[in-house]
């Protein structure tokens, strides 16, 4: 079977292709600011064995493209539309900005919810937060846990706005800061704990999965957006570095990477280890709850990494914030028990594809997998 370009995923996952099977669960896992070489299947100096194994069981998207920054990518994923159509082509939504993805746009979560899915948003949002209407619980999600801003301290759980000037207050600047974790739209007691966001978001996802009884046929959609490996460069447990090959990362001289932070790279490696452990915990929960064979997982980054903070996008030029390949071509793959079963039924082995795939293609693919109809 040969598929090309944007038809690739729909060709493999079309309803006609897999017939009258049970509607699968859908788990989307985004790793924030993970560059092309920030995962071990693209750079063996990193350590992500669980994600490597899942990729080897599924479909690797060798030419997967996003926008060069957080909000624009997430907007295209949720709406399935290019940002020029929605007005979200500009940079990220900052904490004090009165804007978000237009309320006239139907989110993927809205569509799935209307199709019988129970929906959860865990982790980073960054699609609008200045009014309640723009936040997850009002955009198709039954459950929400995480922060609404673009990021924050992974251990103290605080976000800080950019400096801004009030109109007519010449020369005086202000900023806002505060705790950022919300649970069902309310202040979370986890703000008072120094547990890393990666662990908190993993725990929340596992807890959501475990609430479904083994005989519960209700399909679910989890949108899990880890705060790492976005700065600040922090890990929850030093063993993520000391007990893995991350400890071997040292300063190097690489032509064209004069602003590279090698100490930052060592910490980034540890952050990937902790996310990889989280993926392992989630996979185990799915198998223990007899949900693995009926789950499709999409794992990808939202944009290229920031070299000055320790990420690498080699062999591509550039990184987050620009349209060179290093900014928009990122790791991405599709896996899960449902995918393995589908490939087996078609007589196919897991594979990598060099067909170009865009973030909007995932939106259309998920709707088709979910048997969505307007």
């Amino acid at each position: 079977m040969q598929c090309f370009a944007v038809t690739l995923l729909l060709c493999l996952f079309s309803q006609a292709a897999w017939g009258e099977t049970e509607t699968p669960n859908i788990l989307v896992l985004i790793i924030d600011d993970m560059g092309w070489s920030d995962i071990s299947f693209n750079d063996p100096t990193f350590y992500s064995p669980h994600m490597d194994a899942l990729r080897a069981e599924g479909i690797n998207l060798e030419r997967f493209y996003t926008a060069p920054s957080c909000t624009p990518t997430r907007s295209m994923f949720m709406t399935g539309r290019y940002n020029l159509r929605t007005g979200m082509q500009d940079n990220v939504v900052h904490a004090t900005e009165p804007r978000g993805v237009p309320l006239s746009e139907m989110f993927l979560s809205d569509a799935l919810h209307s199709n019988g899915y129970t929906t959860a948003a865990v982790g980073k949002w960054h699609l609008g937060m200045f009014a309640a209407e723009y936040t997850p619980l009002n955009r198709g999600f039954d459950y929400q846990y995480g922060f609404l801003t673009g990021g924050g301290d992974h251990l103290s759980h605080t976000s800080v706005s950019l400096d801004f000037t009030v109109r007519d207050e010449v020369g005086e600047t202000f900023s806002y800061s505060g705790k950022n974790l919300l649970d069902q739209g309310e202040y979370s007691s986890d703000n008072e704990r120094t547990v890393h966001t990666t662990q908190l978001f993993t725990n929340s996802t596992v807890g959501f999965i475990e609430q479904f009884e083994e005989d519960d046929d209700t399909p679910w959609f989890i949108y899990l957006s880890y705060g790492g490996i976005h700065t600040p460069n922090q890990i929850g447990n030093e063993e993520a570095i000391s007990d893995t090959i991350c400890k071997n990362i040292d300063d190097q001289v690489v032509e064209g990477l004069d602003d590279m932070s090698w100490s930052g790279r060592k910490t980034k490696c540890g952050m990937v280890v902790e996310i990889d452990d989280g993926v392992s915990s989630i996979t185990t929960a799915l198998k223990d709850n007899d949900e693995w064979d009926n789950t499709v997982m999409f794992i990808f980054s939202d944009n290229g990494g920031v070299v000055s903070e320790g990420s690498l996008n080699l062999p591509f030029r550039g990184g987050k914030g620009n349209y060179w390949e290093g900014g928009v071509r990122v790791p991405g793959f599709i896996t899960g028990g449902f995918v393995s079963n589908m490939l087996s039924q078609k007589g196919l082995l897991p594979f990598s594809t060099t067909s170009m795939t865009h973030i909007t293609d995932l939106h259309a693919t998920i709707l088709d997998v979910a048997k969505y109809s307007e």
Side-chain angles (χ1 to χ4, degrees):
M1 178 172 59
Q2 185 70 51
C3 302
F4 296 96
V6 297
T7 63
L8 165 73
L9 300 178
L10 291 176
C11 177
L12 291 169
F13 284 97
S14 67
Q15 295 176 26
W18 44 271
E20 297 300 321
T21 61
E22 187 177 353
T23 305
N25 305 312
I26 297 164
L27 195 157
V28 172
L29 193 156
I30 301 178
I31 303 173
D32 200 358
D33 286 4
M34 182 174 69
W36 181 262
S37 297
D38 293 342
I39 195 164
S40 58
F41 57 73
N42 286 335
D43 185 337
T45 66
F46 265 45
Y47 189 70
S48 54
H50 302 297
M51 286 189 283
D52 287 8
L54 289 175
R55 168 181 171 268
E57 296 173 0
I59 302 167
N60 181 45
L61 306 177
E62 190 69 26
R63 297 182 64 199
F64 178 63
Y65 290 87
T66 64
S69 59
C70 307
T71 299
T73 289
R74 295 157 196 271
S75 173
M76 287 193 289
F77 175 74
M78 280 296 178
T79 65
R81 304 181 70 202
Y82 292 129
N83 286 320
L84 284 171
R85 305 291 187 188
T86 64
M88 300 305 295
Q89 72 274 16
D90 193 15
N91 205 338
V92 301
V93 173
H94 295 296
T96 55
E97 281 191 286
R99 70 182 182 103
V101 181
L103 299 178
S104 57
E105 297 294 330
M106 183 176 72
F107 273 18
L108 179 62
S109 45
D110 290 311
L112 293 177
H113 191 273
S114 70
N115 218 48
Y117 276 74
T118 299
T119 54
V122 179
K124 172 176 172 176
W125 181 242
H126 214 192
L127 290 167
M129 73 285 296
F130 79 100
E133 292 83 356
Y134 291 82
T135 58
L137 294 177
N138 290 294
R139 305 218 71 164
F141 287 101
D142 298 299
Y143 173 71
Q144 176 273 332
Y145 175 84
F147 53 83
L148 303 179
T149 59
D153 191 287
H154 296 294
L155 297 171
S156 69
H157 313 304
T158 55
S159 292
V160 181
S161 74
L162 295 177
D163 290 343
F164 63 93
T165 302
V166 178
R167 184 177 296 174
D168 296 329
E169 297 289 336
V170 178
E172 188 172 4
T173 61
F174 302 87
S175 67
Y176 287 111
S177 66
K179 297 290 187 176
N180 60 23
L181 291 178
L182 298 176
D183 189 342
Q184 289 299 83
E186 301 293 335
Y187 182 87
S188 171
S189 60
D190 288 336
N191 282 300
E192 310 306 323
R193 305 168 61 200
T194 55
V195 179
H196 198 283
T197 57
T198 293
Q199 185 63 58
L200 292 174
F201 297 162
T202 296
N203 292 347
S204 179
T205 301
V206 169
F208 181 82
I209 292 168
E210 290 178 342
Q211 73 175 310
F212 292 89
E213 300 293 336
E214 291 183 5
D215 59 350
D216 190 343
D217 294 331
T218 304
W220 47 254
F221 166 53
I222 300 175
Y223 175 72
L224 167 59
S225 178
Y226 279 117
I229 59 175
H230 194 293
T231 52
N233 288 344
Q234 298 169 314
I235 54 176
N237 189 332
E238 288 295 331
E239 292 179 356
I241 295 176
S242 63
D243 289 3
T244 68
I245 60 173
C246 296
K247 65 178 180 292
N248 298 325
I249 295 176
D250 294 314
D251 290 358
Q252 302 176 38
V253 177
V254 179
E255 185 177 354
L257 294 179
D258 296 338
D259 60 343
M260 178 66 189
S261 169
W262 292 103
S263 62
R265 185 153 186 76
K266 182 176 289 189
T267 307
K268 292 285 191 195
C269 183
M271 295 174 82
V272 169
V273 168
E274 294 187 328
I275 289 173
D276 192 64
D277 286 343
V279 172
S280 176
S281 296
I282 292 166
T283 301
T284 298
L286 289 169
K287 292 178 178 178
D288 289 347
N289 217 47
D290 291 333
E291 296 284 355
W292 177 250
D293 287 339
N294 195 43
T295 298
V296 182
M297 296 177 68
F298 297 79
I299 300 179
F300 56 91
S301 174
D302 58 349
N303 47 250
V306 182
V307 175
S308 62
E309 296 170 354
S311 283
L312 278 180
N313 305 295
L314 296 176
F316 308 123
R317 181 185 184 186
K320 180 179 180 178
N322 60 62
Y323 283 94
W324 288 313
E325 292 248 307
V328 296
R329 183 172 172 180
V330 300
F333 59 94
I334 309 171
T335 188
F338 184 86
V339 176
S340 296
N341 292 336
M342 179 204 65
L343 290 172
S344 177
Q345 290 171 17
K346 293 176 179 294
L348 296 173
L349 295 174
F351 64 92
S352 290
T353 175
T354 57
S355 294
M356 184 179 291
T357 311
H358 189 258
I359 185 71
T360 52
D361 297 330
L362 298 190
H363 179 102
T365 299
I366 290 171
L367 290 180
D368 207 59
V369 170
K371 302 181 181 180
Y372 173 76
S373 60
E374 297 185 36

